């Protein structure tokens, strides 16, 4: 938000409301989700655990840092094939301003072999926390609000004006 609050929304796909107002549940065994955020094992139909979620988080981190989609193909099939192969170009290839230490964290999160990834979210947290401390990059809501107000002042003012009119 403009005041520096972080809000996460997940619109989900497990249920959908049909035109007649009835809820349609997904069928057991159906592959659901956005393939571009699948882990390699998920794309291969293998059993999943928390490391799969960490892989998906790694994709989000990669895309936030680079401004580029990680797995994009010409069709759903080619995209899924890229996910299965898990060929991850170094983030610094797209954004050389990414610190090497942060790139290493992202690449570990995106290891094709789940045994080489972070085993627990707390392990990833610890490495990210250490990176932030060493690089004096601790952020909070106040600093985020300052950043947003500096970069999006016009948009924020337009939104405030609309809310006042409402």
């Amino acid at each position: 938000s403009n005041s520096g609050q972080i809000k996460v929304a997940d619109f989900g796909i497990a249920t959908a409301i049909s035109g007649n107002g009835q809820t349609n549940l997904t069928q057991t065994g159906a592959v659901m989700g956005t393939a571009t955020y699948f882990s390699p094992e998920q794309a291969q139909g293998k059993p999943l655990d928390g490391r799969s979620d960490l892989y998906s988080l790694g994709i989000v981190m990669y895309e936030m840092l680079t401004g580029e989609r990680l797995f994009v193909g010409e069709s759903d099939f080619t995209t899924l094939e890229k996910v299965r192969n898990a060929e991850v170009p170094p983030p610094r290839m797209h954004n050389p301003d990414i610190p090497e230490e942060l790139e290493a964290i992202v690449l570990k999160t995106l290891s094709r072999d789940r045994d080489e990834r972070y085993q627990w979210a707390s392990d990833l947290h610890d490495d990210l926390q250490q990176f932030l401390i060493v690089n004096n990059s601790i952020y909070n809501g106040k600093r985020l609000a300052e950043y947003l107000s500096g970069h999006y002042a016009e948009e924020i003012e337009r939104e405030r004006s609309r809310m006042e009119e409402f």
Side-chain angles (χ1 to χ4, degrees):
S1 73
N2 298 337
S3 62
Q5 296 171 324
I6 304 298
K7 299 180 180 187
V8 178
D10 180 345
F11 298 102
I13 60 167
T15 62
I17 304 298
S18 64
N20 62 10
Q22 294 180 353
T23 301
N24 296 317
L25 299 177
T26 59
Q27 294 182 7
T28 303
V31 175
M32 301 302 296
T34 305
T36 55
Y37 296 96
F38 281 6
S39 63
E41 58 272 16
Q42 187 174 8
Q44 296 168 9
K46 294 181 178 178
L48 305 178
D49 59 27
R51 296 172 293 181
S52 179
D53 291 334
L54 291 175
Y55 187 91
S56 298
L57 176 59
I59 295 171
V60 173
M61 291 188 323
Y62 184 100
E63 293 180 352
M64 289 175 65
L65 289 167
T66 65
E68 301 286 334
R69 295 291 299 267
L70 181 54
F71 299 119
V72 179
E74 295 173 7
S75 68
D76 290 345
F77 178 79
T78 58
T79 298
L80 195 56
E81 193 61 28
K82 288 182 179 210
V83 172
R84 280 187 192 120
N85 294 334
E87 294 175 6
V88 178
R92 290 169 47 86
M93 186 176 94
H94 297 290
N95 179 357
D97 294 332
I98 298 170
E100 289 179 22
E101 301 86 357
L102 183 56
E103 180 181 64
I105 292 169
V106 172
L107 291 175
K108 180 174 181 175
T109 307
L110 293 171
S111 293
R112 186 175 200 280
D113 181 345
R114 60 180 149 188
D115 291 333
E116 293 178 11
R117 286 183 216 148
Y118 289 99
Q119 300 300 293
W120 301 98
S122 59
D123 297 333
L124 171 59
H125 170 269
D126 291 348
D127 280 0
L128 286 171
Q129 189 78 25
Q130 183 65 29
F131 167 78
L132 291 172
I133 291 168
V134 168
N135 289 281
N136 195 27
S137 302
I138 301 298
Y139 291 94
N140 57 28
K142 180 181 175 187
R143 287 184 68 184
L144 178 58
E146 290 169 358
Y147 173 83
L148 293 172
S149 65
H151 283 80
Y152 299 101
E154 290 178 24
E155 292 89 341
I156 292 170
E157 186 53 41
R158 276 197 304 271
E159 182 66 23
R160 283 193 184 134
S161 295
R162 276 187 264 173
M163 292 303 290
E164 287 176 8
E165 289 176 23
F166 180 71

